[in-house]
Structures are given as C-alpha cells and as structure tokens.
C-alpha cells in the first residue's frame, strides 16, 4: 500500500539552516547537508529545502548544498525558493534535486509551470501554494512573496488550475497556521485534496504528532511536511512514524 | 567489471552513480555509443516521457548498442523509463514503438479516485525469486514516481507487483535483463541492496 510520506523541511538562508537548530550530536547543526543526513538516518521519506535567501548571488551556495545533499542521501529531495525560469529548474535538477517547487513565479506566469512540466515531466514540478483564509472566512486566498502579497486568487481553484497546467504535486501551506503549533488548517487541506487528482503535501502549523495524524485523515493529505518539531527534536521522524502506524496509518517504518 | 549508466539527457544520473558507489561499485556515466558497447553491466535510468526518451536514444545512436548488449545477455538494469522502453509500445502523447524486448504496452493509471502520479513509497510483492532480490524481503518499500507502467503480455517476466488501486507490475526480469518501475537510487537501504545485487550478477 502506498505509504503516507513524512517530509521534514529545512529553511535555508545564505547556505545555513535557519530556526536555531538544536541537533546536539552534530558537529555543525547549521549545515543543511549534515541535517539532511540525520533525517535520512531517521527514515525521512523525502526532504524539502526551502531557500529563503533574498539575493540571487547566493544561489550558487544553494546549488552546492543540493549537490552535496544529493550525494549524501538516497531519498527524493525537493528544492524551492526563488525559482523563476525553466533554466532555474534545469540547474536545480542537474544539481541533484528530484523535484523543484515553484511559488510566486507560477502566479506571475502560469505558463511557466506548463513549460517546465512539459520539459522535465510533471513528476518533477511541485507548485507551492501559500493560502490565507479570507476575512469573510468563506474561502482561502493565494499569497506570494512569502505571504506578503495577496493575489485575489482562490486557493482551491488555483490548485486545480495548476494541476491542469501540469503540476505533479501541490505543496499547500496555511499562512494562518504557519509558525503556530496548533495544527494544519484541515479544512483548507481537505478542500484542496478533494479538488485535485495530484498528490498534496500539507504544511504549516504542526506542533504535535496528533496534527500529522489529522493532516492525513481529516485533511486527506498524501504527505505531511513539518519543520520545527523535527528541527527542535521535539519528535524524531521515527517517533512520528511509529505514532502514525499505531493509529493505523500506512507508513514506511 | 564495467558498469555503464546511459546518459541520454534525462534525469538524475548522478544519484544512480552515487547509489552504486554506496554499494561499493564504481560506474561510468556516458552518452558515447562505443562506451555503452563496452559495458559489462548496462544501466538505463530516466524520468520524463516515453517518446522523448526513445527519440533521444535514437538521436544519440544509443539504441543499437543497448539492443546488442541485451541480446548478448549482459546484465541490464532499467529504472523507470529504462523499464518502460523495453516494451513494444508506449502510449504517452500517442503511440510510440519501444525496444520491443518485452511484448506489451506502457499504459497510464486509470482516471478514477487515484492520485496520479503514483508518488511515494510503496511495497513490492515478490512473484518470483531472483538473485536481484537477495536480501530484500517481500513487502519492502521502494520509492515510486510515475504515471505510466508497463503491462507485459507474458506473465513469466513479472518479478514483483505493487498495489495501487489494483496490482500493477513494478519490476520484470527475463534472463539477465531486469527492470524496475521504482527508483532503487532513491530507496535508501533496500535500493542499495538491489544495486549491489545487480553489480554482483
């Protein structure tokens, strides 16, 4: 049976892991490659790098991290942040990324998603959607630039449009929940999951293992992404998987 | 021993090479037909579309050395597209002939409630014993990412199946030819074991 995936996410800035990582056994806990190796040893199903570097001159540092990580781990790696052109996608894939995540550039130019998925295959193209509940609570709006700019797009419709444009997967982050530890926006997750026929990764808000469980059950997500609970070693990936297995969720132990 | 990974401009070949390194074997990545012809062990990986793959192999004049290597019964490992091109015909973006080594079609998962691509870790059910599966228990997890799969006419070549909605053929073998729909290079321990088994054939 297809397992639900547990995906740790590393936010990388200027080549370093942000969020004051607390891996005690590591020589260099800010080195994304070292952290990636720990997650591999813990049995992570995939890894996600999000480059939050503002300047593009630091791009080379990210590529170096991707190359080293791809050499050190044998699990799929998704890389996102500042991906704007087909050439950006090409460079990340050749550096060793298995999938590339596109966010703001997809909103600016949806054809970019179509071009990239035609050229490299749908399975390599992830569209990241940052969504925030509208003031009237009736729907969710897509935001770009790390949640700063409202787009007026409905998140559920946008996800379906991106599927039609060739996205192979949706990485769905609730801006309302992100950074809090009170769980995913399950209504948002479920609404998107029920509206598309491509896998959806739930993101934003995990504080407990129960939240992961809710993400795949109530939220119907195909994969669950979390950063802080794994960074701060509140839980290891193994603990998360054993918890889910005990509650009847198919996971790869 | 000379493990050669065929580069036809598709996908992440370095990770396959690195997978062999982890298992203790060196390998060469090449698009030179002469180097492919010299291989003792041939590996054809790949992600992307069936038709592009066949076109690129043809353009790079790699089809003949690959065929010859298989006919000479040198160990062949196809990964993902490297499996699909063994069949008679692909159906992605219209019908396109494959190498025709295994009778059958490459077909898409049916449009129903299933999410496509089939993406993530899924289990293999072993249908016949094979040296390639040494040390790999039934129901082991491997990493998959694909929308199409090969449907062989001859059940004798089915080595493993995997359940996604219903069972599909996730790896095949025929003589010294072996191919899997999943990605051993992305499948941690079990993947490493499989690559090692292949190198030891």
């Amino acid at each position: 049976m297809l397992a639900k995936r547990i995906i740790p996410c590393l936010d990388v800035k200027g080549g370093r892991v942000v969020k004051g990582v607390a891996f005690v056994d590591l020589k260099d806990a800010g080195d994304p490659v070292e952290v990636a190796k720990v997650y591999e040893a813990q049995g992570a199903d995939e890894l996600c790098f999000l480059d939050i570097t503002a300047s593009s001159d630091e791009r080379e540092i990210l590529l170096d991290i991707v190359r080293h990580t791809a050499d050190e781990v044998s699990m799929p790696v998704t890389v996102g942040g500042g991906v704007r052109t087909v050439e950006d996608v090409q460079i990340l894939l050749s550096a060793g990324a298995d999938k590339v995540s596109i966010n703001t550039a997809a909103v600016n130019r949806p054809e970019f998603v179509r071009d990239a998925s035609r050229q490299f295959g749908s399975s390599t193209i992830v569209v990241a959607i940052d969504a925030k509940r509208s003031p009237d609570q009736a729907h969710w709006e897509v935001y770009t630039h790390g949640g700063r700019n409202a787009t007026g797009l409905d998140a559920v419709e946008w996800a379906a449009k991106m599927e039609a444009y060739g996205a192979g997967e949706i990485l769905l982050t609730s801006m309302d929940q992100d950074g809090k530890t009170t769980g995913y926006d399950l209504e948002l997750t479920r609404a998107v999951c029920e509206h598309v026929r491509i896998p959806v990764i739930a993101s934003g808000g995990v504080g407990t293992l129960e939240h992961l469980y809710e993400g795949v059950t109530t939220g119907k997500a195909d994969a669950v992404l979390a950063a802080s609970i794994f960074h701060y070693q509140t839980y290891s990936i193994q603990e998360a998987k054993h918890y889910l297995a005990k509650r009847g969720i198919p996971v790869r132990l | 021993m000379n493990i050669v990974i065929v580069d036809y401009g598709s996908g992440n070949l370095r990770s396959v090479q690195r997978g062999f390194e982890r298992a203790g074997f060196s390998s060469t990545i090449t698009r030179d037909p002469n180097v492919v012809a010299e291989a003792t062990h041939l590996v054809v990986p790949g992600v992307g579309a069936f038709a592009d793959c066949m076109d690129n192999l043809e353009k790079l004049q790699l089809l003949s050395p690959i065929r010859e290597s298989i006919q000479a019964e040198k160990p062949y490992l196809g990964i993902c597209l490297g499996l699909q091109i063994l069949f008679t015909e692909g159906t992605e973006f219209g019908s396109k002939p494959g190498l025709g080594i295994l009778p059958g079609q490459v077909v898409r998962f049916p449009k129903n409630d299933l999410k496509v691509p089939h993406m993530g870790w899924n289990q293999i059910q072993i249908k016949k014993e094979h040296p390639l599966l040494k040390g790999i228990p039934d129901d082991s997890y491997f990493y998959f990412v694909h929308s199409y799969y090969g449907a062989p006419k001859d059940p004798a070549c089915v080595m493993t199946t995997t359940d996604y909605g219903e069972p599909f053929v996730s790896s095949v073998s025929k003589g010294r030819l072996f191919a899997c729909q999943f990605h051993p290079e992305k499948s941690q321990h079990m993947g490493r074991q499989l690559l090692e088994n292949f190198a030891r054939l």
Side-chain angles (χ1 to χ4, degrees):
Chain A
M1 189 186 252
L2 184 65
K4 298 289 184 182
R5 287 170 281 155
I6 313 291
I7 307 175
C9 178
L10 295 173
D11 290 351
V12 178
K13 188 174 186 181
R16 306 287 293 170
V17 178
V18 292
K19 283 192 178 172
V21 185
F23 282 108
V24 282
D25 301 332
L26 285 186
K27 247 192 329 213
D28 180 2
D31 178 354
V33 183
E34 291 295 314
V35 177
K37 282 157 73 177
V38 171
Y39 286 144
E40 161 124 318
Q42 291 185 358
D45 294 314
E46 270 183 53
L47 196 64
C48 181
F49 279 128
L50 187 60
D51 182 25
I52 55 173
T53 305
S55 93
S56 54
D57 3 316
E58 282 168 347
R59 205 66 184 168
E60 195 49 45
I61 305 174
L62 176 77
L63 290 174
D64 211 39
I65 292 167
V66 173
R67 275 184 213 111
H68 277 105
T69 306
D71 267 4
E72 294 297 332
V73 304
S74 48
M75 64 178 154
V77 178
T78 300
V79 184
V83 178
R84 293 183 188 91
T85 63
V86 164
E87 197 194 357
D88 290 340
V89 177
Q90 165 79 58
I91 290 170
L92 284 167
L93 292 176
S94 356
D98 297 284
K99 297 186 256 184
V100 171
S101 142
I102 301 171
N103 189 331
T104 300
V107 173
N108 291 342
R109 211 164 50 83
E111 318 79 65
F112 169 37
V113 171
R114 187 160 52 205
D115 295 345
S117 68
R118 278 210 185 131
Q119 188 161 342
F120 308 107
S122 278
S123 59
T124 60
I125 304 300
V126 181
V127 169
I129 300 177
D130 293 341
K132 204 184 270 188
R133 212 177 265 268
S134 62
D136 62 2
Q137 306 284 305
H139 69 286
W140 296 268
E141 187 177 351
V142 177
Y143 278 68
T144 59
H145 298 87
R148 290 192 298 277
N149 298 1
T151 64
L153 295 166
D154 178 89
V156 177
E157 284 167 22
W158 177 242
K161 181 169 175 181
M162 287 296 93
E163 176 184 11
Y165 273 65
E169 191 169 41
I170 300 288
L171 167 54
L172 179 66
T173 303
S174 159
M175 301 308 294
D176 301 300
Q177 291 304 103
D178 201 30
K180 296 184 185 143
T181 50
T182 50
Y184 297 114
D185 183 333
L186 296 172
E187 282 178 50
L188 165 69
T189 308
R190 186 176 189 128
V192 171
C193 287
E194 287 182 339
H195 206 65
V196 296
R197 290 271 183 275
I198 51 178
V200 176
I201 306 169
S203 155
V206 174
T208 66
L209 299 183
E210 168 83 21
H211 294 150
L212 300 177
Y213 175 79
E214 290 169 353
V216 298
T217 51
T218 314
K220 295 194 162 186
D222 301 280
V224 282
L225 180 141
S228 306
I229 61 160
F230 298 133
H231 286 323
Y232 296 119
Q233 293 185 300
T234 320
Y235 302 101
S236 68
I237 309 266
Q238 287 112 316
E239 284 171 318
K241 287 189 164 183
H242 281 288
Y243 172 86
L244 291 173
K246 218 179 272 173
R247 297 200 62 182
I249 305 297
V251 287
R252 179 183 64 109
L253 290 174
Chain B
M1 179 190 302
N2 181 15
I3 302 175
V4 170
I5 302 167
V6 181
D7 173 14
Y8 53 94
S10 157
N12 197 339
L13 305 177
R14 172 72 191 136
S15 61
V16 179
Q17 186 177 43
R18 186 71 186 123
F20 278 112
E21 258 170 55
R22 280 195 203 92
F25 298 90
S26 63
S27 57
T28 309
I29 297 176
T30 188
R31 55 175 60 190
D32 179 344
N34 297 317
V35 178
V36 171
E38 297 286 301
T40 61
H41 291 64
L42 196 60
V43 183
V44 181
V47 291
F50 185 97
D52 294 346
C53 175
M54 288 303 293
D55 287 344
N56 288 339
L57 288 172
E58 195 171 358
K59 235 180 278 167
L60 294 164
Q61 300 184 305
L62 290 167
L63 283 176
S64 323
I66 290 174
R67 267 210 184 89
E68 281 157 19
S69 175
I70 292 171
Q71 273 154 12
E73 299 199 356
K74 293 180 188 166
Y76 172 100
L77 174 62
I79 300 172
C80 197
L81 266 182
L83 171 147
Q84 296 182 3
I85 58 166
L86 295 172
F87 286 89
T88 318
E89 154 182 57
T91 56
E92 193 173 4
F93 305 123
S95 170
K96 174 89 183 172
L99 288 171
I101 308 230
L102 300 175
Q105 269 196 331
V106 179
V107 295
R108 196 178 192 278
F109 283 109
K111 289 198 194 300
N112 51 26
D113 284 345
L114 289 177
K115 300 282 183 92
V116 178
H118 170 227
M119 188 186 284
W121 296 79
N122 205 337
Q123 292 165 294
I124 55 165
Q125 276 78 48
I126 297 175
K127 297 299 168 190
K128 70 174 175 195
E129 295 299 325
H130 193 284
L132 257 157
L133 299 175
K134 190 183 151 208
I136 298 174
D138 203 20
D139 292 335
S140 292
Y141 278 100
F142 283 88
Y143 186 78
F144 289 82
V145 51
H146 62 122
S147 302
Y148 287 77
Y149 63 91
K153 281 193 178 145
D154 178 11
C157 73
V158 177
M159 188 155 71
T160 67
T161 61
T162 292
D163 200 10
Y164 192 53
E166 49 191 77
F168 71 93
V169 175
S170 52
S171 71
V172 293
S173 71
K174 186 182 175 188
R176 313 247 290 163
L177 169 124
F178 167 83
C180 50
Q181 185 55 63
F182 49 81
H183 290 265
E185 77 282 11
K186 294 286 157 192
S187 297
Q188 296 178 356
H189 303 94
M190 287 303 147
R192 183 156 63 235
Q193 180 69 56
L194 191 146
L195 293 176
E196 184 182 333
N197 291 345
F198 174 72
R200 291 190 192 287
L201 280 183

